[in-house]
Amino acid sequence: MKKKKVKLRDLGSKERQGEHGHESGHNHGGPEGVSKFKTYLPAIFSFVMLIIGIAVDYFDAFPFFKGWIRIAWYTLAYLPVGFPVIREGWNSIKHGDFFTEFFLMSIATLGAFAIGEYPEGVAVMLFYAVGELFQNAAVNRAKGNIKALLDARPDEALVLRNGNFVTVNPETVEIGERIQVRVGEKIPLDGILLSERASLNTAAITGESRPDTINKGEKVFAGSINLDGVIDVETSKEFKDSSITRILDMVQNATARKSKTELFIRRFARIYTPIVVFLAIGLTFLPYFFLNDYVFRDWLYRALIFLVVSCPCALVISIPLGYFGGLGAASRNGILFKGASFLEAITKVNTVVMDKTGTVTKGVFKIKEIKAVKFEEVELMKYLMAMEEQSTHPIAKAILEYKAEGTDMKATDVTEVAGKGLKGTVNGNTVLVGNKALMASNNIDVPPETDDIVNSIVMLAIDEKFVGYVTIADELKEDAHQAIKQIRDAGISKIIMLSGDKDSITQHVSKKLNIDWAKGGLLPEDKLSEVEELKKQSDTKVAFMGDGINDAPVLAVSDVGIAMGGLGSDVAIETADVIIQTDQPSKMARAIKIGRSTRKIVWQNIGLAFGVKAFVLILGAGGLATMWEAVFADVGVALLAILNAVRLQRMKWNT
C-alpha cells in the first residue's frame, strides 16, 4: 500500500490553500524565527492609525483633517493590512480563481473607500487581518501535537561496533545490532530489551503518561524515554519502520484525507460565494428599475455589506481546524486515525466485530493445568518439552516456559501430523503429542473427562499408552471487561466476536465478556464472509477490531478497521483505518467519543456560521445593518468558530 507523503511544513499551508492550488501568501503567522511583535506590527499600526482617525473625526479637533489629508491618513492605515490581501486576491485571479475571500475583502473595502466610508473600509480589513492572526495561531496550536511527536523522534543512537559504543545516525543502524540507552535518553529504534529490567516513559507512543516497566526479552519502542539506569537493546526494526516514524507518517498523512463534511463545505463555498457576488451586483443596480428615490451610494453600501458577510472563511478554516484538533486529540490518547474521513465514519458505527486472540486476550498462552497418569509431573513435562522444542507453534512456546530440573531429553525423528500434532522418538520410546484426533487415529483411549475441557489441550502418549495432558489458555487483557462495557455505554447496539480459535474457547470467552454473539473455528475467508453478510444490512455500519495478518482482509472491508498497534502485525496496521497504539480494546470507546465530539463541534460551527451570516445578509439587504455588523458576521463568527474548534485540544474523554 503506497502512502502519499506529506511534509510537516505543508500541513498548515494545505489548509490555507484555495482550490486553485497555490499557497496563500496572506499568512500573518509569519515565518519561523520572526518575533511575535513583528508579526503583529502591521495590525497594531493600522489599529492605532484607525483609532486616531476616528477620534479626530468625532471631536473635529483639527479643521485641516479633511479632503486629501483625511483620505491619505486612512489610506496609510489601510495599506499594512490591506495590501497583502489585495496582492493575494490578484494572484488568485491570475490562477483563474476569482471568488476567493481575498477578492471579496478587496472589493468590499475598496468600495467603502470609493463611497467615502474610509473608517469602515479600514476597520473591515483590520478585523479581517486580526481574524487571520487568530486563525494562524489556532492552526499552529493544533499542529503542536505533531511537532511534539517530531521532538520525540530520536536523532542519534549509541551502537556497539568493533567493541565500542559509538554515536551514529539512527537511520544507519541495522536490525540485530546492540544499542545502549542512557538515563533520560530516547530509545532510537524498536527492539528487544537485553537488560534485566527497564522503566520507560512511553507517552509519545501510547498516550499513557505513567511509567511502564519492561522485562528482559520484551519489546521496546522507539521514542520511549529511559527513566532508570543504562539499558541495552537489540534492534528489531530499521529506523524507517520504527513505531515513532510510523506514527508520524500516519498522523501527517491523515491531514490530507478530508472528511465528507469538509469536502462538501469546500465545494459549497465555491458555489455559494459567486452566487452572493452576483446577488450583490443585482442589489446595487436592480432597485434603480423599481424605486423612484433610488440612491446609488446607499444600494452600493448594502451590496458591500453583502460581500463582506458572504466571505466563507469561517467555514473553510474552522471546519478543517475542528478535524485537525480531533486527529491531534486522538493521537494524544494513543489512537491514530489515518484521516478525518475515518474520524467521521466511526461516529456512524453501530456494530462492533472483534477478533479474540491479541485483541481482547493477551495473545500469550500459559499452562493452566498439568494432569499426569502413571508419571510424575516433571517426567511428563520432560517428554512433552523434548517434542515441543521441534515446533514453533505459540502453544509449544507456552509449554517450553515450564522449568524442569535435570538432564533435558532430546527428541528424534519428529514429524508433524497435519492438524493433529507431532510424532517422534524420545529415549527410544515412540511419543505422540497433540489433540484428541491424533490419539483417536492411533487407537489410544483418553479419559472421558477431557471432553469437558474448554481450553486448548495437549495430550501425550508414550508407546501407544495415554500418560497425561496439559491445558493451555490465553489470558484476557486487563481492560477486556471494561472495554465491552464502555463500547456498550458508547451506544453500540451489537458486539460480535469472530475467532480462528476453536469454537468452545471462543464461546467461553464471549460469555465471560457478555458479548452478544460469537463464532469460532473460522478461517480468514470465513471471517470476511461473516462481516460481508453484516454489511448487507442497510442500517448496519461495522467496525472490526483485530491484530493479526489473518485479520487484514476483514479490516479492509469493514466500514472502519481498527488494528492493535503494539502486538498487531504490520499487515494489519497498514490495512486498518485506526490504530490503537496501547493494544487496549477499551480505547475503542474513547475513539468513538473523540469522533463524536469532533463531529459535534464541526456542526456547531456550520450552524453558527450559516445562521449568523443569513441573518446579517437579510439585514444588510434591507438597509438595517452597517459594515460593523458585517464584520461581526464574518470575522467575529470565524473567531467564535475557531475558539470552539480549539476546545477539542482541551477536552478529556474519561471512559
Side-chain angles (χ1 to χ4, degrees):
M1 180 183 296
K2 291 185 178 180
K3 292 184 179 179
K4 179 183 176 183
K5 297 290 181 185
V6 182
K7 295 181 180 178
L8 179 69
R9 63 176 176 269
D10 296 334
L11 292 175
S13 63
K14 286 184 179 294
E15 297 302 342
R16 300 289 303 120
Q17 287 175 11
E19 296 297 324
H20 49 277
H22 74 285
E23 185 178 340
S24 164
H26 185 48
N27 185 349
H28 291 278
E32 288 186 24
V34 177
S35 70
K36 286 187 177 181
F37 178 76
K38 194 171 181 180
T39 300
Y40 287 85
L41 186 58
I44 294 170
F45 178 82
S46 293
F47 176 73
V48 172
M49 293 286 287
L50 175 63
I51 293 299
I52 293 173
I54 291 174
V56 172
D57 276 341
Y58 183 80
F59 293 108
D60 198 18
F62 300 98
F64 63 86
F65 194 71
K66 289 181 174 54
W68 288 107
I69 293 177
R70 184 169 181 264
I71 294 172
W73 182 272
Y74 283 115
T75 301
L76 193 60
Y78 176 85
L79 285 176
V81 290
F83 178 73
V85 179
I86 295 171
R87 181 182 59 196
E88 187 58 36
W90 175 248
N91 288 336
S92 299
I93 291 171
K94 286 196 297 184
H95 284 83
D97 195 356
F98 287 83
F99 302 108
T100 63
E101 58 191 273
F102 314 110
F103 174 75
L104 295 182
M105 282 297 169
S106 300
I107 295 299
T109 53
L110 291 175
F113 266 72
I115 60 175
E117 299 290 348
Y118 310 120
E120 293 189 8
V122 175
V124 168
M125 192 59 82
L126 173 61
F127 285 120
Y128 175 72
V130 171
E132 289 287 283
L133 287 169
F134 274 98
Q135 289 166 11
N136 280 281
V139 170
N140 289 335
R141 183 180 177 86
K143 286 194 295 183
N145 294 316
I146 297 177
K147 289 181 179 178
L149 283 174
L150 271 175
D151 291 339
R153 184 167 56 181
D155 53 9
E156 61 180 37
L158 200 60
V159 62
L160 181 64
R161 289 179 180 170
N162 300 321
N164 295 309
F165 283 100
V166 293
T167 302
V168 300
N169 188 315
E171 294 182 13
T172 65
V173 179
E174 297 180 357
I175 295 173
E177 288 198 276
R178 186 187 188 111
I179 58 175
Q180 192 173 83
V181 186
R182 295 165 182 160
V183 178
E185 291 181 349
K186 299 169 189 134
I187 296 176
L189 299 98
D190 290 1
I192 304 297
L193 183 65
L194 298 176
S195 303
E196 287 300 319
R197 186 172 286 101
S199 179
L200 305 177
N201 178 346
T202 60
I205 309 298
T206 65
E208 300 294 329
S209 57
R210 58 181 174 81
D212 195 6
T213 300
I214 307 296
N215 295 313
K216 184 177 181 178
E218 294 182 345
K219 292 181 180 179
V220 295
F221 299 105
S224 302
I225 299 172
N226 181 23
L227 300 176
D228 184 23
V230 178
I231 60 171
D232 287 354
V233 174
E234 182 182 305
T235 60
S236 59
K237 289 184 180 179
E238 293 181 1
F239 183 74
K240 62 183 177 65
D241 298 322
S242 65
S243 300
I244 194 71
T245 304
R246 189 177 67 205
I247 293 170
L248 284 168
D249 284 343
M250 288 177 182
V251 176
Q252 290 183 44
N253 285 316
T255 60
R257 300 185 181 182
K258 309 298 182 187
S259 69
K260 290 181 180 179
T261 304
E262 188 176 345
L263 292 171
F264 169 75
I265 289 298
R266 286 184 177 273
R267 288 195 298 266
F268 178 82
R270 296 189 58 73
I271 297 171
Y272 133 93
T273 306
I275 288 174
V276 174
V277 170
F278 288 117
L279 286 174
I281 294 171
L283 189 62
T284 305
F285 297 107
L286 287 180
Y288 171 79
F289 300 101
F290 302 101
L291 300 176
N292 295 325
D293 57 346
Y294 172 80
V295 178
F296 172 76
R297 184 185 180 283
D298 292 345
W299 288 99
L300 176 60
Y301 184 70
R302 296 182 187 185
L304 295 176
I305 293 170
F306 223 70
L307 289 178
V308 173
V309 175
S310 72
C311 184
C313 51
L315 292 169
V316 298
I317 294 299
S318 65
I319 291 170
L321 183 61
Y323 283 112
F324 202 101
L327 292 169
S331 68
R332 284 201 315 273
N333 282 272
I335 304 162
L336 300 178
F337 285 86
K338 290 187 179 179
S341 56
F342 306 121
L343 196 63
E344 190 172 88
I346 202 167
T347 65
K348 301 173 183 175
V349 167
N350 54 22
T351 301
V352 171
V353 181
M354 58 180 63
D355 178 41
K356 180 183 72 68
T357 307
T359 302
V360 295
T361 67
K362 294 180 179 179
V364 179
F365 291 95
K366 290 188 176 181
I367 295 173
K368 289 295 178 184
E369 183 187 10
I370 301 173
K371 182 74 172 180
V373 179
K374 299 180 182 179
F375 266 75
E376 292 292 330
E377 177 184 305
V378 173
E379 194 74 11
L380 174 79
M381 291 304 298
K382 285 182 178 180
Y383 274 98
L384 191 54
M385 291 168 69
M387 292 291 291
E388 294 292 6
E389 278 181 348
Q390 311 295 317
S391 175
T392 58
H393 195 279
I395 288 179
K397 292 180 181 178
I399 290 172
L400 294 173
E401 288 290 321
Y402 184 87
K403 306 299 182 186
E405 296 179 0
T407 305
D408 291 338
M409 296 181 179
K410 297 294 180 185
T412 57
D413 302 324
V414 178
T415 57
E416 184 174 348
V417 182
K420 296 180 180 179
L422 302 171
K423 183 176 182 179
T425 303
V426 179
N427 282 357
N429 300 312
T430 301
V431 179
L432 295 173
V433 173
N435 57 23
K436 192 172 183 178
L438 178 65
M439 301 294 131
S441 63
N442 286 273
N443 299 315
I444 296 172
D445 294 329
V446 299
E449 66 191 65
T450 58
D451 294 336
D452 300 324
I453 295 174
V454 173
N455 295 325
S456 298
I457 183 169
V458 179
M459 299 182 179
L460 180 68
I462 299 176
D463 293 333
E464 299 183 354
K465 291 183 180 179
F466 181 83
V467 295
Y469 63 84
V470 174
T471 61
I472 307 289
D474 193 0
E475 287 186 306
L476 287 174
K477 290 182 178 178
E478 287 81 0
D479 67 328
H481 288 279
Q482 180 187 8
I484 302 303
K485 180 182 182 301
Q486 290 174 355
I487 290 170
R488 289 198 191 282
D489 291 344
I492 301 301
S493 58
K494 187 183 293 184
I495 302 176
I496 296 169
M497 178 179 285
L498 301 176
S499 177
D501 207 346
K502 67 181 187 178
D503 191 57
S504 61
I505 296 174
T506 304
Q507 298 298 338
H508 177 69
V509 171
S510 71
K511 286 177 182 176
K512 284 178 71 174
L513 295 176
N514 194 28
I515 288 172
D516 298 320
W517 182 74
K519 193 172 184 180
L522 300 175
L523 296 171
E525 54 265 33
D526 299 326
K527 289 185 183 180
L528 186 62
S529 298
E530 293 287 348
V531 171
E532 285 177 336
E533 282 299 314
L534 284 170
K535 287 191 67 179
K536 287 179 183 178
Q537 302 170 25
S538 58
D539 59 342
T540 300
K541 294 294 181 183
V542 178
F544 181 85
M545 187 161 52
D547 72 307
I549 293 174
N550 61 339
D551 294 325
V554 198
L555 288 166
V557 80
S558 302
D559 295 299
V560 180
I562 303 167
M564 295 294 162
L567 291 174
S569 72
D570 289 342
V571 175
I573 291 166
E574 283 289 316
T575 309
D577 308 314
V578 184
I579 315 298
I580 297 177
Q581 282 297 113
T582 59
D583 278 340
Q584 293 174 291
S586 58
K587 285 289 179 78
M588 173 156 188
R590 191 172 299 182
I592 294 170
K593 289 183 178 182
I594 291 172
R596 288 175 180 170
S597 295
T598 304
R599 181 182 63 181
K600 183 179 179 181
I601 280 178
V602 164
W603 281 103
Q604 283 173 352
N605 286 348
I606 291 171
L608 176 69
F610 277 120
V612 174
K613 281 180 181 289
F615 181 67
V616 179
L617 279 173
I618 294 168
L619 291 180
L624 301 174
T626 67
M627 277 283 188
W628 299 106
E629 283 84 359
V631 167
F632 172 74
D634 177 48
V635 179
V637 170
L639 291 178
L640 288 175
I642 289 165
L643 291 173
N644 193 32
V646 168
R647 284 197 305 127
L648 273 169
Q649 297 168 47
R650 297 180 177 273
M651 284 186 180
K652 303 291 183 185
W653 292 271
N654 296 318
T655 52

